[in-house]
Amino acid sequence: MPSGRCRVLGAAGRAAQSSADAPAALTRLRAQALEMAREEALVDAAWCYRIVPLDSPPGTWLNAGGVSLHAPRLLPESGRLTALACAVCTIGPALERRVRALFEQRRASLAIALDRLGNEALFETARRVQDRIALAAARDGLSIAGELRPGDPGLDTSAQSPVLQLADAMRIGCRVNEGGLLVPLKSTSIVLGVGIDLPAVEWSRCDPCPSRDRCRIAARRSPRSGAAAAAAPTP
C-alpha cells in the first residue's frame, strides 16, 4: 500500500517565476506567500493509494474491496476494466490555519494568495501520485484511464467515504467529517480506472466547469492513455 511525502513548493516557485506578465502587486503577494509557506513549513504534502481489484465484472456499479461505487463513466469503450486505483492527497492543516489567521488580521490579500498557493501545491501532489499509479500499473502490464473525484459529474459526493476507505487514507491522517468534507480541508481524493488495453478517454472531469476556458489547471489537462501516463516522469 504505497504512501509517502513530497516537496511541491519548488514547482510553485517555478510557476511564480513564469508569471512575469502578472500585475506587480500580485507577483509580490505570491512571492510573500511562498516565502511564508517555506519559512513556517505550512505545506506537508502527503499521498497514499491502493490499486484494488474488482470483486465482480464491471457494470454501472463498480464493486471493489467490499464497497460499491456508482461510476459508470469509468467503463471503457474497449479493453477490460479490472481494478480501481483510489488515491488521497493532502498538504496538511497548517496552511489553512494560517489563512484563517491572516483573514482575522484583516490581511485578506495575502490570505487569498496563500490559499491559492495551497491549491496549487495540492494539485501538484495529486499530479505526482497519479504518475506513480500509472507507473505501478504499467509495471504489471496494465493501463489507466479516466479520472473522477467525489462530487464530479459521474461520481456522487457520497463516494467520499468509500474512496478514502479503499485508499486507506488514515495512513496520512485524512478523514471525512460529518458534513462530507475532507479533513484536512486542503485534501482531495481520486478514482482511476485500471485494466487491460484501456483506451484514452475523450472526456475530462473539467469539461462541465463554466470556468474551464479561464482555468490554468484545466489548460494543463488533456485526456491521457495509460501508455502516455505511464511515460510521464515521477518527480
Side-chain angles (χ1 to χ4, degrees):
M1 295 188 293
S3 63
R5 283 177 155 74
C6 54
R7 297 180 179 180
V8 293
L9 286 180
R14 290 191 294 273
Q17 293 171 2
S18 66
S19 59
D21 56 341
L26 293 180
T27 301
R28 286 195 301 271
L29 281 169
R30 182 181 175 83
Q32 189 176 351
L34 184 60
E35 181 180 7
M36 178 179 288
R38 285 172 169 160
E39 289 184 352
E40 300 181 21
L42 298 180
V43 173
D44 181 18
W47 54 268
C48 65
Y49 75 85
R50 290 175 64 209
I51 297 178
V52 186
L54 295 179
D55 296 332
S56 58
T60 302
W61 287 86
L62 301 175
N63 304 307
V67 305
S68 298
L69 297 178
H70 185 256
R73 209 173 187 192
L74 290 179
L75 294 174
E77 295 183 0
S78 62
R80 182 157 62 94
L81 186 70
T82 62
L84 297 177
C86 295
V88 177
C89 309
T90 184
I91 62 166
L95 186 138
E96 64 188 80
R97 288 198 296 260
R98 192 68 173 95
V99 168
R100 283 198 299 271
L102 288 170
F103 274 117
E104 291 169 359
Q105 297 164 8
R106 299 187 178 183
R107 301 170 69 187
S109 296
L110 181 56
I112 292 169
L114 184 61
D115 186 73
R116 182 174 297 171
L117 181 70
N119 291 339
E120 294 177 4
L122 182 59
F123 174 83
E124 178 66 16
T125 306
R127 184 192 67 78
R128 294 188 187 190
V129 75
Q130 288 182 73
D131 286 346
R132 289 177 180 273
I133 291 169
L135 288 169
R139 283 195 292 267
D140 292 330
L142 302 173
S143 52
I144 64 170
E147 175 197 351
L148 290 175
R149 305 189 189 192
D152 285 350
L155 189 62
D156 191 74
T157 53
S158 61
Q160 198 74 271
S161 289
V163 172
L164 263 67
Q165 178 183 332
L166 291 173
D168 193 15
M170 288 302 294
R171 289 180 288 163
I172 58 170
C174 282
R175 62 180 178 85
V176 182
N177 67 14
E178 297 80 0
L181 297 176
L182 290 180
V183 179
L185 183 62
K186 293 290 188 197
S187 304
T188 190
S189 58
I190 306 166
V191 182
L192 302 166
V194 180
I196 300 169
D197 296 327
L198 298 182
V201 297
E202 298 301 325
W203 53 269
S204 164
R205 60 183 296 266
C206 297
D207 289 344
C209 180
S211 300
R212 175 183 171 86
D213 293 339
R214 304 188 302 276
C215 178
R216 287 184 300 167
I217 291 176
R220 285 181 280 177
R221 288 184 179 276
S222 62
R224 304 167 73 191
S225 69
T234 302

